[in-house]
Amino acid sequence: MCPKCGKIGGTGESFCSVDGEKLVPAGKEQEEQRAAAIEHYLEGNKLSDQKDYDQALEQYLKALALFPGLAELHYNMAWVYEKLGSLEEAVKHLREY
């Protein structure tokens, strides 16, 4: 796991593909936070599919607070921010992606 961005490395990886930081073993708490973030992310996806963008964004923000290293989260947040007319926030999250 990258200590800087929280990204989980793949098998055999020693360095983060995003930040170049040396990966460290993820602890139980970090794995639990990542799992909870994924639940919020998936709920946000469902809400986004239903065009409930405000509620989707709420779920994405909860996921972001728990585990900011989910690249897909930033992409989807950018998409929702664009739908809500917040282009600066959309660009910010695309850059994180």
Side-chain angles (χ1 to χ4, degrees):
M1 173 179 204
C2 177
K4 186 172 182 182
C5 73
K7 183 175 186 270
I8 304 291
T11 304
E13 289 184 337
S14 298
F15 294 90
C16 178
S17 61
V18 175
D19 297 312
E21 296 286 322
K22 184 166 176 62
L23 298 176
V24 298
K28 183 179 178 182
E29 182 180 337
Q30 292 164 324
E31 287 295 331
E32 289 172 355
Q33 287 179 328
R34 183 175 189 270
I38 289 172
E39 288 180 30
H40 287 292
Y41 166 75
L42 294 174
E43 182 63 25
N45 290 349
K46 288 179 192 174
L47 292 162
S48 181
D49 288 345
Q50 297 168 2
K51 298 185 180 181
D52 190 350
Y53 302 122
D54 289 318
Q55 293 297 314
L57 184 58
E58 278 188 36
Q59 291 298 314
Y60 290 153
L61 290 170
K62 288 177 182 179
L64 184 67
L66 287 166
F67 199 86
L70 296 173
E72 308 86 10
L73 173 63
H74 289 284
Y75 181 85
N76 288 16
M77 287 182 76
W79 192 84
V80 167
Y81 273 123
E82 186 272 330
K83 289 291 186 186
L84 293 172
S86 298
L87 299 181
E88 286 184 32
E89 285 296 316
V91 169
K92 174 184 156 189
H93 286 281
L94 280 176
R95 288 184 176 140
E96 290 290 323
Y97 173 69

